[in-house]
Structure formats: structure tokens, C-alpha cells
Amino acid sequence: MKHVRETRTLTLDYDTETGHRMINQYVVDSELGRGVFGSVKLAHDVYSRANVAIKIVQREAPRKLGVPYTPRQTDERVVREIRAMSLCLHPNVVQLFEVIDDPMSRKLFLITEYMQGGELVWRDELEQPTLSLTDARRVFRDILHGLNALHENGIIHRDLKPANILWTRDRTMAKISDFGSAYVRMTPSSVDELSSATDPVLARTAGSPAFFAPELCYGASDGPPITKAIDVWALGVTLYCMLFGHVPFDAETEYLLLECIVHDDYAVPTCMCCDRVIVGPRAPRWAPLYPNSQDLCGSGSGNTYSKSAGTDSRNESTKPAETNRSHSLSNEAHAVRHLLDALLDKDPATRMTLDRAMTHPWLVAVSW
């Protein structure tokens, strides 16, 4: 934690000029968000005047019936988040500056980089993609490099998705955030050899079902071992979201969603991104598990478990057709489709690695 300051004393006060609450030397200006695990405040340092985000979390996990209770024991989720952010210092990972951990307080305060650009907006209310193809490529490249840095430092994110990608103020850089579900290796080293076969902790379900890799959808002992490849799959789903404005797999229930992820192919719509670059259509390449239940399971269905939409309001031109006109596509469209197929490979053993993704033609080509 060399780049993270640890403070063991908490002082709560009020700023004499504004009357706003103070947490040590930070004046709270407003609330950025609130969730199950705590709240996030916008604040500024009275000395440097720099804006920061303060994540305020309960030290103790919610008490559960039958689970031993240890007063003042820090929640495992909070420990993981602090450790993950402390291990990785990278331009494409949200930075943790300070942890205020007063033993007498029931709360911990994580002082982090303030991402003024906010959460990545990847679709509008009609489920149309909002990013241009150039911006989608830039965001994908940023997240790819950030994810690679996490893996090199012994961290598997386990909850990569657009909601956990934040913009800088000028929206020229994207960064990975939210490490509450992360797996963090106890000794700082690469996750290359990590597997649920040697560490059962990796087999614990974490993250958002619509971004689950197929190997996470099996029973505890039925599927392939869980490795860093689950982050690669989630990266592929995130790319699909940015390109098309919806997830590749959805269903009415979690059970059906997991079945679709394991067994079904995804469709490629006609156009990608807000500049509507032709990339398809390509129908699923094999029959779905539930061929007569398109309303229950399948890419682009309406009122679904993955919450991609309440009704299917996407433009007809973005829906997959039953024809394949790949012979008339541009080289860039072919490159995007190849990248998606490689990232969304259902077999983790043959799924594209991050190293290979960083040298993929779609990312390294000067122009198309």
C-alpha cells in the first residue's frame, strides 16, 4: 500500500465557512450516490483544494442467522476492495488515495479519485448505443489495459461491466472501478496460474449474472475451473453492450439466463454504435436451447432478467436477420466480429487472452 495513505484517527466536524460536514481535512460538498454497501460523497481537501470521492462503508457485514458474529470485524468485501485498489496503480484503474480506519468507528472512509465524467453511458432509453465506434474502441482499449494491470497484480475483478467503468472529466480516459467482488491474491503476483481447482474461493459466485462467463453458470463441480478468463468474457460482453446497446444474452429468469449463456450463440445486429456502422446481420450460428421460447430466452428479447429493457423498442434495423451478408462488410466490421467471437468463446481454455487482445487488428490499425 505504498501509494495509499493509512489514517487511524477520524475527526468529524463542520466547515466554518459553508457549514458542511468535514471528515478529517475533507469538506463534504454533495452526495454522489448511495447503495446497499454505503454512500459516496463528493468532497474537497481543504489544503490542496482537490476534489475527491469519499466512499463511506459500514465496517461490519450485515449480521446473518447462524453465522458467528465478531464485533468490529471488517467486512470481507471491504477488505477485498481496499486491498485490490492498494495493489494496482494504473492510469486506467480508479485510484485509492487514503483509507481512514479509526478502530473506534463503525465506518471506514475510502478517499478515492473523483471521476467527474461519471459512469459510462453506453445506451439511451430506447436501448440504442450512444457511443461512436471510435469512442467504443477507445474505451475498450482503456479497460483492456486496466484489466491487464489488475491481472498482473494478482487481482481478478469478477464484476466488470459498463456500470463499473467511469470517465475522467473530459471523457478522454475510462477507468475501472468497484472492487467489492474482486478476488485478490494474498501475495502480489500474476493470476496466470490461479484456478478454482487450487483455490475454491474463486468458485464463489460474484458479479452480475448477465456478465457471467459460461463456466460460472455450472454447478460447483460440473464445469471447467474458474480462472482469470471470466474477466475476459465480461470484457467481451461489455464490448457487445457498447456496440449494440444491449447484452448478448437475456432471459426472464436467472436460471434461463444462465442456460442461455452456456448453450446459446449470440446474434450480431445490422449496425453498431451511434454512427450505425454496418456489421451484420448475423443470426445465431446454432439452434437455441429453447427453439420455441424466444420470449423466454435469447439475445434481444424484451422483458428479461438481465433488465436490458422493459419492452423491445430497438429499431428493426438493429435486430438480427436470418441472413448473413458478411461478404459485403468492411474490414473493420470483420475485425470487430472476430474480436467478439474470440472474447465470447464459451471454452475458457481457447478464449482470447488479454495479451492477444491488445495486439488485435481492430485496436492497432492506424485507420480503416
Side-chain angles (χ1 to χ4, degrees), residues 185-256:
R185 195 165 191 165
M186 294 309 296
T187 55
S189 56
S190 171
V191 297
D192 287 349
E193 305 304 321
L194 280 179
S195 164
S196 58
T198 55
D199 190 345
V201 173
L202 262 176
R204 296 178 186 173
T205 302
S208 305
F211 294 81
F212 278 7
E215 57 268 32
L216 287 169
C217 302
Y218 291 93
S221 58
D222 297 334
I226 309 303
T227 67
K228 63 179 182 178
I230 62 174
D231 277 352
V232 178
W233 175 277
L235 180 66
V237 177
T238 298
L239 175 59
Y240 189 101
C241 288
M242 292 191 294
L243 295 175
F244 304 120
H246 58 94
V247 293
F249 304 97
D250 54 21
E252 284 192 340
T253 67
E254 182 175 352
Y255 171 79
L256 285 174

Side-chain angles (χ1 to χ4, degrees), residues 247-282:
V247 293
F249 304 97
D250 54 21
E252 284 192 340
T253 67
E254 182 175 352
Y255 171 79
L256 285 174
L257 174 62
L258 301 186
E259 290 286 288
C260 292
I261 291 172
V262 170
H263 298 288
D264 291 357
D265 190 23
Y266 66 91
V268 177
T270 301
C271 302
M272 57 181 171
C273 293
C274 66
D275 30 12
R276 304 189 60 75
V277 178
I278 301 298
V279 69
R282 186 185 79 186

